[in-house]
Amino acid sequence: MLTTRRRTALACLFAAAALSLTGCSSDSGDSGNDKIAGAGGDGSSSPTPSASVSPEKGAPAFDFPSDITVDVQKESTGDPTKDAIVRDVAYAAQARIEAFAEGDGRTANMNRYFAANALAYWGDRVATVKKDGLTVTGDYRYFDFEVTDVANGKKAAARYCEDQSKAYNKVVKTEKVQRTQPSDKDFVLYTLQVERDSRGDWQVTQQNWKKGDASCVQG
């Protein structure tokens, strides 16, 4: 059971998220040939086979193209509710990559694991990237999943890291992979608000990220 102090802290976190998520990114100053925010980006790499991830019971099917690999690294928290949140947050991360790859921000998996502001934002973002003639390619790695608070079994705050160091933008028409120098900004911290829907899935409703966060950067 949450104490009054923890309920207040969680409420403040959610309120802060709602205020700071205009555009969904805390790193909106990037420009030029930068990576697609939240979906990997520029560099050079040969296409790699799709990842073979052991499916969990009731897991969604993700339709990744052959040049995309997704590696989800997560461990049990020992708490069933937190484990369910981590599971669905990981599914949401994969759904977002699938959406960019397909050029469709309203796939079945996006509608299942995103809602409210987060779903609207990514729908618009995917449409913009598609209009710009870009898609994504390469290897995506997700790690350090953590549920930082849970309120009444219906709302929660969570975080995780994304490694984009081998993930790139690709021009659809020419299939040219865009290139930049690797940097700490290839590692991204995501902070989320999630809510449990009527079917029992935890959906991302608010989302923010910070490129180059020290808690995610790896050598």
Side-chain angles (χ1 to χ4, degrees), residues 18 41 43 64 78 83 101 104 108 125 133 137 165 172 192 197 216:
F64 298 122
D83 283 348
D104 180 5
R125 183 65 179 140
T137 187
S165 61
V172 174
L192 319 167
D197 70 3
C216 291

Side-chain angles (χ1 to χ4, degrees), residues 76-89 146-147 149-158 194 196 200-202:
S76 173
T77 67
D79 178 275
T81 299
K82 289 185 177 182
D83 283 348
I85 294 168
V86 167
R87 177 200 65 205
D88 289 353
V89 165
E146 180 183 4
V147 178
D149 223 332
V150 182
N152 301 321
K154 295 180 180 179
K155 292 185 178 182
V194 296
R196 193 170 184 266
D201 293 324
W202 289 89

Side-chain angles (χ1 to χ4, degrees), residues 63-109:
D63 186 16
F64 298 122
S66 61
D67 62 342
I68 288 180
T69 295
V70 177
D71 180 14
V72 176
Q73 301 174 353
K74 60 184 177 67
E75 299 179 358
S76 173
T77 67
D79 178 275
T81 299
K82 289 185 177 182
D83 283 348
I85 294 168
V86 167
R87 177 200 65 205
D88 289 353
V89 165
Y91 288 154
Q94 295 172 80
R96 192 180 65 246
I97 296 303
E98 179 188 48
F100 277 104
E102 293 189 1
D104 180 5
R106 293 297 182 122
T107 63
N109 288 323

Side-chain angles (χ1 to χ4, degrees), residues 185-202:
K185 286 191 174 183
D186 291 332
F187 296 90
V188 187
L189 170 66
Y190 289 86
T191 54
L192 319 167
Q193 175 182 336
V194 296
E195 297 185 20
R196 193 170 184 266
D197 70 3
S198 59
R199 63 186 285 175
D201 293 324
W202 289 89

